[in-house]
Amino acid sequence: MVWILAALIVFILQIAAVVIFEFSRPYKAVTWMVILFLCPPLGFLLYFFVGKEYACESFMNREDRMLLEQIKERLSARCGCDTKQGRGLDVKPKDRVQALLQNAAAIPATAGNETTVYAEGTQAFEDMLQDIAMARRHIHIESYIIRDDQLGTRFQQLLIRKAQEGVKVRLLYDGIGCHRLRKSYINRLQNAGVEIRCFFPLLLSLANRHINFRNHRKIIVVDGKIGYFGGLNIGDEYVGKDSKIGYWRDTHFRIEGEAVLWIQYTFLADWFLVKGELLTDPDYYPVQDKKGNDRMQIVKSGPDETSMLELIFSCIVSAKKRIYIATPYFVPDPGILFALKTAAAGTVDVRIILPAVPDHRIVYWASLSYVKELLHSGVRFYFYEKGFIHAKVVIADDLACSGSANMDIRSFCSQFELGAVFFDGKVVDRLVCDFVRDLSASREILLPQFESRSKFQRCKEAFARLLSPLF
């Protein structure tokens, strides 16, 4: 009897702790309480390691953060912006999206960029390797996943060669995303002179309770003049060589122009966070040539800054004609879910493309759990059937957002992401064309057919949705 009473008291205290720490995030509090009920011995232990909020201040002191702000101010001045006064590129602010972009203490918009859009990995990787081969001063690479396979080996051999030529090469990889990357792969790079750092290594993340905070960015910067970002990691599956998934559809970007300064800034800030080395040499921020006319704004987000979530929400609620979304994972937060319902209930054409074949089943089930209620609201869903769609694109009227962030709570609140807003122009037109082409390779999900799925499938979706705030 005493043991039962003691266990009950401990359980009540655990529930109380979750309620106290998650009072500002009720959707997460409910999830954690369900986990505590399902597995009382392990639930709170899991919460202890995974449920902690991110605190950037624990890694950067006030002086460090001031140095980063000074670099940002200098770059903003070079781009003709003043972030303190909230002034940036004149993008004809006509709705709350542009107001948010200009007035927030964020990276300013830039003009004079030349953008190449890739819809798949083959050509993108060939261009990356060619640009890296032409590097003369420094190469910076940041990737969530790096595979020790054919493509990964090509990158490795080229980086070794460039390091031996005297080019400064830095590589930053994520401790969870690259947990299967063999130590021998890293050692060969380090022995050649490549500087390598791991973002929140697995064991250290467990000890520091940061295992839930991952660096999901995919960045390459060559000589501070050419920048890449988007959805492509480094591995053979991203060129369609995974026999289970097949064709890999993604969206990636090559940039020349002032926007590259902010991709470089993001990498060097991450390098500083991991290594404690702040690189301030002006050589890393060279004067940019005007290469084109593309107007864009780099957006970096993470558990310490939810700018991506605010941006996507503002795009959705401001759209008057169309909202096109392509995403491999669809686990929206309550605000975005309500915004999509409201838009579709009006006169906005809302279409969402999801993969027909999942790569992570429980996340896929959670995605499907949101489909029915949005179908009732007028949102049109499509299953991409040509292969696996990994593109992360949101098009709202004449604006487009794309990068590394999925349409899920984890990307918005727990992961370090990098994307961009493209203002009306050829890049938006290209992304719209890609979306329309993807529609032709997709099957529309009709409500009568969707409601005919089995009860077992519905149970899996309900359970996955209950856990979705943790994805």
Side-chain angles (χ1 to χ4, degrees):
M1 186 67 178
V2 175
W3 289 106
I4 295 176
L5 181 60
L8 181 61
I9 293 173
V10 170
F11 182 72
I12 292 173
L13 290 175
Q14 291 175 353
I15 293 291
V18 169
V19 171
I20 292 171
F21 289 121
E22 301 295 339
F23 76 95
S24 62
R25 303 180 293 181
Y27 56 93
K28 282 198 171 185
V30 171
T31 300
W32 281 114
M33 283 191 283
V34 169
I35 292 175
L36 289 179
F37 274 106
L38 292 177
C39 47
L42 300 176
F44 193 76
L45 185 63
L46 181 64
Y47 176 73
F48 179 81
F49 285 107
V50 178
K52 179 184 177 181
E53 287 195 67
Y54 179 82
C56 186
E57 290 78 6
S58 63
F59 296 93
M60 294 187 190
N61 57 39
R62 184 179 178 184
E63 291 75 15
D64 294 337
R65 295 178 71 84
M66 288 179 63
L67 286 173
L68 282 175
E69 283 299 316
Q70 289 172 5
I71 294 175
K72 181 189 287 188
E73 292 298 329
R74 287 197 294 269
L75 292 179
S76 299
R78 284 174 53 182
C79 295
C81 312
D82 186 343
T83 56
K84 287 184 177 179
Q85 300 299 322
R87 295 194 299 271
L89 175 69
D90 180 12
V91 293
K92 300 179 181 179
K94 57 187 177 181
D95 57 34
R96 69 189 70 188
V97 180
Q98 283 117 350
L100 170 70
L101 290 170
Q102 289 199 2
N103 295 325
I107 292 172
T110 61
N113 300 292
E114 179 65 30
T115 307
T116 302
V117 182
Y118 302 98
E120 55 185 27
T122 303
Q123 187 59 52
F125 288 121
E126 291 302 323
D127 287 354
M128 291 177 200
L129 291 166
Q130 181 176 342
D131 286 332
I132 290 172
M134 298 296 292
R136 293 294 177 264
R137 306 182 73 84
H138 38 80
I139 300 164
H140 295 151
I141 300 180
E142 181 172 343
S143 186
Y144 177 65
I145 294 173
I146 301 174
R147 304 289 192 205
D148 188 1
D149 53 21
Q150 185 176 353
L151 181 62
T153 300
R154 290 184 66 190
F155 271 86
Q156 180 197 55
Q157 292 174 347
L158 182 56
L159 294 179
I160 289 173
R161 193 186 89 199
K162 298 308 293 185
Q164 291 172 343
E165 290 176 1
V167 177
K168 191 65 178 177
V169 182
R170 295 182 177 90
L171 175 64
L172 184 60
Y173 67 93
D174 185 80
I176 296 295
C178 294
H179 70 280
R180 290 189 292 178
L181 185 63
R182 291 183 291 184
K183 188 67 176 176
S184 59
Y185 183 97
I186 297 171
N187 289 339
R188 286 193 293 270
L189 288 165
Q190 288 178 325
N191 292 338
V194 177
E195 280 196 73
I196 302 179
R197 287 295 181 274
C198 179
F199 192 96
F200 292 180
L202 178 57
L203 294 180
L204 185 62
S205 295
L206 281 171
N208 293 336
R209 299 166 58 199
H210 290 124
I211 197 167
N212 203 37
F213 306 119
R214 311 317 317 169
N215 192 320
H216 197 239
R217 294 167 180 156
K218 304 100 165 72
I219 292 173
I220 295 178
V221 184
V222 179
D223 288 339
K225 291 277 192 174
I226 300 171
Y228 288 87
F229 71 93
L232 290 169
N233 293 294
I234 299 174
D236 284 349
E237 68 255 49
Y238 302 99
V239 289
K241 293 184 178 180
D242 188 319
S243 59
K244 295 180 179 179
I245 294 177
Y247 177 75
W248 189 279
R249 164 74 176 92
D250 220 315
T251 299
H252 212 78
F253 303 92
R254 180 186 188 273
I255 307 293
E256 290 184 85
E258 289 186 340
V260 178
L261 295 173
W262 298 105
I263 302 174
Q264 179 84 299
Y265 172 82
T266 302
F267 174 88
L268 294 180
D270 288 344
W271 187 262
F272 180 38
L273 176 63
V274 173
K275 189 180 178 183
E277 176 187 22
L278 183 59
L279 302 171
T280 59
D281 192 323
D283 185 57
Y284 295 115
Y285 301 103
V287 175
Q288 304 293 318
D289 302 322
K290 183 176 180 180
K291 292 288 186 177
N293 300 306
D294 298 334
R295 300 179 300 166
M296 59 185 294
Q297 183 165 350
I298 298 297
V299 180
K300 61 189 290 285
S301 70
D304 55 340
E305 48 181 348
T306 58
S307 51
M308 195 72 72
L309 174 61
E310 296 164 3
L311 169 64
I312 299 301
F313 177 82
S314 297
C315 285
I316 292 172
V317 299
S318 298
K320 297 177 176 60
K321 296 180 180 179
R322 65 184 179 190
I323 298 171
Y324 296 161
I325 298 173
T327 179
Y329 317 116
F330 183 72
V331 187
D333 87 315
I336 287 183
L337 185 64
F338 183 74
L340 287 171
K341 289 181 179 179
T342 303
T347 59
V348 182
D349 178 17
V350 185
R351 305 188 188 206
I352 300 175
I353 299 178
L354 302 175
V357 179
D359 63 338
H360 299 294
R361 290 192 178 277
I362 192 167
V363 184
Y364 180 73
W365 296 335
S367 298
L368 294 181
S369 72
Y370 292 92
V371 171
K372 180 180 177 180
E373 60 184 290
L374 288 174
L375 285 174
H376 278 293
S377 299
V379 177
R380 300 176 69 180
F381 279 89
Y382 300 82
F383 277 147
Y384 184 78
E385 296 185 314
K386 184 177 178 180
F388 183 76
I389 186 165
H390 192 249
K392 307 112 174 1
V393 179
V394 176
I395 300 167
D397 292 344
D398 295 327
L399 290 177
C401 311
S402 186
S404 64
N406 301 305
M407 182 65 72
D408 61 21
I409 298 171
R410 182 172 180 79
S411 281
F412 292 147
C413 301
S414 299
Q415 295 186 158
F416 295 84
E417 306 282 4
L418 182 75
V421 182
F422 299 95
F423 303 103
D424 53 311
K426 69 173 187 178
V427 178
V428 178
D429 292 341
R430 165 62 191 274
L431 292 174
V432 170
C433 288
D434 287 348
F435 187 88
V436 172
R437 187 178 68 249
D438 293 337
L439 285 178
S440 66
S442 303
R443 167 175 52 88
E444 186 168 5
I445 306 172
L446 301 176
L447 183 59
Q449 297 173 352
F450 189 74
E451 288 186 325
S452 65
R453 65 200 190 285
S454 67
K455 290 183 179 180
F456 180 59
Q457 176 64 30
R458 297 186 189 201
C459 289
K460 291 189 293 185
E461 293 170 9
F463 180 72
R465 178 163 177 168
L466 199 59
L467 300 179
S468 63
L470 308 184
F471 297 159

